[in-house]
Amino acid sequence: MEKDKIEALLEKYWNAETTLEEERVVKQYLESNDPEEKLMPEKEWFGAVSDFKSLEGKTVGFSAAIDKPLIKRMPLAVVLKIAASILLVIAASFWLVSYRSALAERDLALQKKVEADLFSISKTLNQANTGLNEIIKFKSDVKTQND
Amino acid sequence: MKTIIAYFSLLLTMVSFSYGQQKPADNAETMIDLYFKSYSGESKYQINTMGEAMVKRTNEMGMWTHPSIARIMKQVKTYKYLNFNSSPENLQKIIAQVSAAANKGNIYKEYFRWETNDVVSSVIYTKGDKKITELDYITLNKGHISVSCFIGDNIDMESIRSLVANK
């Protein structure tokens, strides 16, 4: 009798027509009794539903074995120190190159000044010689005219 | 932090080395040091020195544009030049003062003076009797004075005079 009633309730259940009370009766029957083989799929179904309900509200975590990366993640402070050092080296290199370039320009200017000075002195000394020769020639001409 | 300090130390070493290259090795007093320091307040007063190391390096690298200049510069250890601006009248006074001081001091001898209508345009001074150890060339032009000092052990004046002829 009870078995017939359960089968009827199961039919209602699969048609989604049972009440919560009727579902509870079916569940209790399947849990407490050892149903015949025909009802075994229903028993497993209600067992699974029960398991899912027990998990309700809990966080399910999944874990997987992940290989550690070869390079460990560096702390921000270390990264900043390295970046600052690289920037410092780059800035120093640029400064040194521009400083060297300025020095080279100054050296070249000094070199040209030396050469210009030497030519100027040479020109002045030659003018002095020319001037003296002209005076000597003038004196010589005057002497010849007087003679 | 240690790395940064190390970088700074390295930089400072390099900078001091760079500056050290430009320092004249010979600190002997030149005509500029003796007679022109008192005019340091004049406009655009500037002294440049080509130290012994720099002259030597320029000689060794063959950087002079003419072989005759290279030959002369082998006799020179240090080159120093000064320039500044002042009124033409004031520059004539300065030249007169320097000339008086040079005559009084008996260190420098006037080698040549170029004067037109009582206006001096250039003066050459030498130091040393048998061997010329300093050659000074003063030029004046429109409110601008330039003093060039060549310091060496034995500067040959004839080599310098013949420079224009050999060019």
Side-chain angles (χ1 to χ4, degrees):
Chain A
M1 178 60 194
E2 196 181 0
K3 203 175 91 181
D4 293 340
K5 190 186 167 187
I6 291 299
E7 281 180 358
L9 284 174
L10 278 170
E11 197 179 335
K12 271 181 83 180
Y13 175 79
W14 292 119
N15 290 328
E17 291 168 352
T18 48
T19 62
L20 288 172
E21 181 56 30
E22 286 169 339
E23 273 182 37
R24 194 179 55 79
V25 170
V26 173
K27 194 184 165 192
Q28 270 180 355
Y29 175 80
L30 290 172
E31 280 175 355
S32 56
N33 296 296
D34 198 14
E36 56 186 273
E37 201 176 330
K38 190 170 83 170
L39 294 176
M40 279 306 283
E42 276 78 6
K43 187 180 179 178
E44 283 171 12
W45 167 254
F46 276 90
V49 170
S50 181
D51 286 345
F52 274 116
K53 278 190 176 175
S54 68
L55 290 172
E56 206 173 344
K58 289 180 183 173
T59 307
V60 182
F62 295 93
S63 65
I66 301 167
D67 293 334
K68 285 185 178 177
L70 288 172
I71 302 167
K72 284 183 184 175
R73 200 171 164 198
M74 282 183 284
L76 185 63
V78 176
V79 174
L80 284 174
K81 277 178 188 173
I82 292 169
S85 303
I86 292 168
L87 273 175
L88 188 71
V89 170
I90 291 169
S93 306
F94 272 110
W95 176 80
L96 205 65
V97 167
S98 58
Y99 175 74
R100 280 281 176 196
S101 169
L103 277 184
E105 275 179 33
R106 200 192 67 173
D107 289 2
L108 191 67
L110 266 172
Q111 188 190 327
K112 285 189 174 175
K113 177 80 174 92
V114 168
E115 292 182 348
D117 275 348
L118 285 174
F119 274 115
S120 191
I121 295 169
S122 180
K123 208 173 159 184
T124 306
L125 291 173
N126 276 295
Q127 271 177 333
N129 277 10
T130 310
L132 286 171
N133 287 336
E134 276 175 5
I135 290 166
I136 291 164
K137 190 174 177 292
F138 175 74
K139 281 183 177 174
S140 171
D141 289 347
V142 170
K143 196 180 173 187
T144 312
Q145 279 174 4
N146 289 338
D147 291 341
Chain B
M1 193 63 190
K2 279 181 184 173
T3 319
I4 293 168
I5 291 167
Y7 282 136
F8 270 114
S9 308
L10 185 70
L11 277 174
L12 286 171
T13 311
M14 288 162 93
V15 169
S16 60
F17 176 76
S18 306
Y19 274 109
Q21 289 290 301
Q22 305 307 319
K23 282 181 183 172
D26 190 358
N27 288 324
E29 286 203 316
T30 62
M31 180 175 251
I32 292 172
D33 304 308
L34 286 171
Y35 304 137
F36 287 91
K37 285 278 181 186
S38 54
Y39 306 109
S40 58
E42 296 289 343
S43 167
K44 295 185 178 175
Y45 184 98
Q46 196 182 31
I47 297 174
N48 281 283
T49 307
M50 204 174 190
E52 198 173 337
M54 193 174 166
V55 173
K56 197 178 170 189
R57 195 192 67 192
T58 314
N59 285 342
E60 284 171 356
M61 288 174 79
M63 286 164 78
W64 303 111
T65 55
H66 197 276
S68 298
I69 291 175
R71 212 162 27 246
I72 293 164
M73 286 311 286
K74 276 180 186 172
Q75 302 162 14
V76 175
K77 280 186 173 176
T78 310
Y79 167 77
K80 198 173 202 175
Y81 94 89
L82 154 79
N83 57 346
F84 62 85
N85 294 342
S86 193
S87 66
E89 296 78 23
N90 194 37
L91 289 178
Q92 290 298 319
K93 279 182 194 171
I94 290 170
I95 284 296
Q97 286 166 2
V98 169
S99 183
N103 287 336
K104 196 180 172 185
N106 207 23
I107 302 170
Y108 294 95
K109 285 176 184 164
E110 195 176 284
Y111 192 84
F112 179 70
R113 176 183 285 249
W114 191 2
E115 214 173 284
T116 314
N117 300 332
D118 284 339
V119 176
V120 179
S121 53
S122 65
V123 190
I124 297 172
Y125 284 98
T126 55
K127 183 181 173 183
D129 291 326
K130 287 179 183 174
K131 289 180 180 178
I132 294 172
T133 55
E134 186 177 327
L135 168 66
D136 300 288
Y137 179 53
I138 305 169
T139 50
L140 294 99
N141 185 26
K142 294 174 186 171
H144 180 85
I145 186 168
S146 169
V147 185
S148 303
C149 295
F150 293 85
I151 300 143
D153 292 328
N154 185 14
I155 299 170
D156 180 25
M157 293 301 283
E158 184 51 29
S159 298
I160 297 172
R161 193 201 62 76
S162 59
L163 184 64
V164 172
N166 293 339
K167 195 184 177 186

